[in-house]
Structures are given as C-alpha cells and as structure tokens.
Amino acid sequence: MFLLQPPSVCELTLFSTMPDEFRRPRRSDWADANRGRTATDSFLEGPVFDDAGNLYVSDIPWGRIFRIDAQGAWTLVAEYDGEPNGMKFLDANTLLITDYKNGLMQLDVASGRATPFLARRNSERFKGVNDLVFDRAGNLYFTDQGQTGLHDPTGRLYRLTRDGRLDLLLGNIPSPNGVALSADEKVLYLAVTRGNCVWRVPLLADGSVAKVSQFFTSYGPSGPDGLAVDAQGRVIVANPGLGLVWVLNARAEPVVVLRGPAGASTTNVAFGGADRCTLHVTDSTHGNILVARLDAPGLPLHRAREG
C-alpha cells in the first residue's frame, strides 16, 4: 500500500480489566472449536453503551453479559446457555444480541432474562450470527458468519425490516463479521475477516445491493473484525490479528493507527464518554478494555424502538 501521508500512531491504554473472580481458565465447546482447544477464561466482544454511560460487553465462551461503569467496575448482568457476540440496544432497556449458538437473542438488562428474538430463518438455523447494526428506520442488518472463510465463502448478510421481513442481501462472504453504516445510510461497511478486508456495500433505494466492492485490504493472521464510523465519515476497523485499530479516511487510507499492547487481540470498538470521542476497544484474549481519544465523535447508534 502506497500512502501519500503516513498515519499517526497512537497507543491504546488500559481502561479496565476483567476481575479475577469472573475469569474461568478452562476449556469450553466454543474455545475448543475457535481457540485451538486451549483454556480460555473469557473472550470479550460486542461493546455498546447505554444512556447512562455504562459499557456492556459479551463473553462468548461462557454466555455472559457484563456491565462496566464509568469507573471501570464490572457487574455480571446475565449468564445463560449461549455464545453471545455483537450487541446493540433494541430500546433503552433491552439488548439485542447476535448469539452464535442461538441466533438473535434479546436481554432485559434489569432482570438479566435472555429470550429468543429470531432463532431460525424458514425453519433453518443460522450458521452462527456475529454482529449487527440498526438504521434510523429501525431496520436491522446482521452478519451470519459460522465457520466460513476462503475455503467456504458462504457467509451471509441479512436485513430484518421493522415489519419482520428477512432479506438475504449477500450469501457469498468468506467470514462476514462487523457491520457499520455511513451517516447517510447509503453504504454499509462489512468486515470480511478471513478475506482480510472490508467490503463497501451500496444500499439501493429499492432495497437491493449492487456493485459491492473491496474498500480496504489488511494483512496478517486474522483480518478486520468490529467496525464503527465517526462524524467525519472515517471508518474505524478493529484488526485483532495485528493488535491494531485502523482509522480510515474516505479513500480507505489509514490516517491514524491505534496500537494495542504486545499480544493484544483488538476485536471490537465502541465510542463513549460525554462527547463520544473516547474509543473503547475489547482486547478479547486478555479480558481488557482499552481506550484512546479521537478528534471526532462516533456516529450515534440507532435503535429499533427509540425513547
């Protein structure tokens, strides 16, 4: 990659780490399949903020959802039989969760009760849903990754409309992961982890997609994961295999690179703080939340049920 202007490099710093009382250093079914049969005490994903400034994260192998307050204190909100990954608020009190094991789940954050939202499509189970985002009309876009990759490029991108229609937008993706919308919602950015890239998916007026292109190409052992977009239109890309977070301009050029500590697995991102300029990053394999200040806020996240 040739860059006219080299990016600035900033260090991610530690905001909070999972307390020892919550760590489970033993094997799980998920870790056996996805972490090479190694003991995995946690694997954090899905960061999202509530209206009070609390950060919620999921712990995939142990089916747990945590709340982290502004001082970095952890509370276990829920534990259930699932493998939760990406999360967004359905309304102010309900999380919608892409659960690898169960499909889409909803969680009442006050009671900690998790219930099915959409388990199957036409009686067929999903491959393993991964991440999600709402548009301003309340339509939901979510990825169905499973174990797809370059050997099996059959991962899917779905849209669930507010009136309950489920549209298959793409079915040829080698490991679809994070999703984020542009400010005008005419473009969806899609992380393609095993393709080591980010796709640009135009959303057309008739509800279809066309001329999908490869927006950004990364490198290394594990490609782009979580995504976000800021108020300048820059695309924020968590890249766990490199321990980096890319901040990309409209030409997909890295203008800022956020670097995690040695060995960090930077899987997902969420903007928080009073001005929404503090990027929070899950370091999944270490149970850490890392942070960095950026010079523009993240775009507001929409919900299916506002208010």
Side-chain angles (χ1 to χ4, degrees):
M1 181 187 298
F2 173 74
L3 298 176
L4 293 172
Q5 180 77 29
S8 60
V9 179
C10 304
E11 303 298 326
L12 289 161
T13 59
L14 180 65
F15 165 62
S16 186
T17 189
M18 176 183 281
D20 289 343
E21 65 190 272
F22 294 131
R23 294 182 181 269
R24 295 178 179 173
R26 54 184 187 267
R27 286 172 52 183
S28 66
D29 290 343
W30 181 87
D32 282 354
N34 295 281
R35 300 290 299 164
R37 302 174 67 86
T38 60
T40 302
D41 65 16
S42 61
F43 195 92
L44 302 181
E45 282 271 14
V48 63
F49 281 90
D50 68 11
D51 293 338
N54 299 301
L55 177 65
Y56 287 76
V57 294
S58 60
D59 176 25
I60 301 177
W62 304 115
R64 297 184 294 180
I65 308 299
F66 291 96
R67 180 173 56 245
I68 307 170
D69 68 19
Q71 289 70 48
W74 293 58
T75 301
L76 178 63
V77 175
E79 182 173 355
Y80 68 98
D81 182 15
E83 294 171 350
N85 199 319
M87 304 191 296
K88 295 292 186 295
F89 275 94
L90 187 64
D91 58 43
N93 302 303
T94 310
L95 280 169
L96 188 62
I97 303 168
T98 47
D99 186 299
Y100 188 94
K101 187 175 183 179
N102 298 311
L104 293 174
M105 298 287 289
Q106 57 186 351
L107 174 71
D108 183 300
V109 297
S111 68
R113 182 170 181 260
T115 55
F117 184 86
L118 181 66
R120 302 193 293 175
R121 179 179 191 262
N122 296 332
S123 77
E124 179 186 26
R125 293 285 179 181
F126 295 107
K127 293 174 179 287
V129 293
N130 187 282
D131 204 2
L132 70 170
V133 68
F134 287 105
D135 66 17
R136 63 173 56 92
N139 301 307
L140 175 71
Y141 295 84
F142 67 96
T143 51
D144 189 20
Q145 181 188 73
Q147 296 294 310
T148 62
L150 292 175
H151 69 296
D152 175 25
T154 60
R156 302 159 176 165
L157 171 67
Y158 285 105
R159 177 179 54 222
L160 180 63
T161 65
R162 191 163 184 170
D163 61 3
R165 187 183 74 248
L166 186 62
D167 300 323
L168 176 61
L169 299 182
L170 294 172
N172 64 330
I173 314 165
S175 194
N177 203 319
V179 283
L181 290 166
S182 63
D184 61 8
E185 299 188 345
K186 293 182 179 180
V187 172
L188 181 140
Y189 295 100
L190 170 63
V192 181
T193 303
R194 269 73 204 181
N196 228 322
C197 57
V198 176
W199 287 5
R200 184 183 185 276
V201 182
L203 302 175
L204 305 184
D206 65 357
S208 65
V209 302
K211 294 188 176 179
V212 176
S213 60
Q214 188 156 308
F215 175 71
F216 173 70
T217 304
S218 185
Y219 60 92
S222 178
D225 192 327
L227 303 180
V229 177
D230 72 11
Q232 295 183 14
R234 301 180 302 187
V235 182
I236 319 301
V237 182
N239 205 139
L242 302 175
L244 301 176
V245 176
W246 307 99
V247 180
L248 308 175
N249 66 15
R251 293 155 56 103
E253 297 166 330
V255 292
V256 179
V257 178
L258 306 176
R259 183 167 54 193
S265 180
T266 47
T267 51
N268 222 308
V269 295
F271 281 94
D275 57 2
R276 293 182 53 79
C277 287
T278 302
L279 191 72
H280 292 65
V281 182
T282 48
D283 175 5
S284 295
T285 53
H286 295 90
N288 292 334
I289 307 298
L290 308 173
V291 293
R293 290 282 297 173
L294 294 180
D295 59 356
L299 291 180
L301 296 176
H302 298 290
R303 299 169 179 170
R305 302 190 292 261
E306 299 289 354

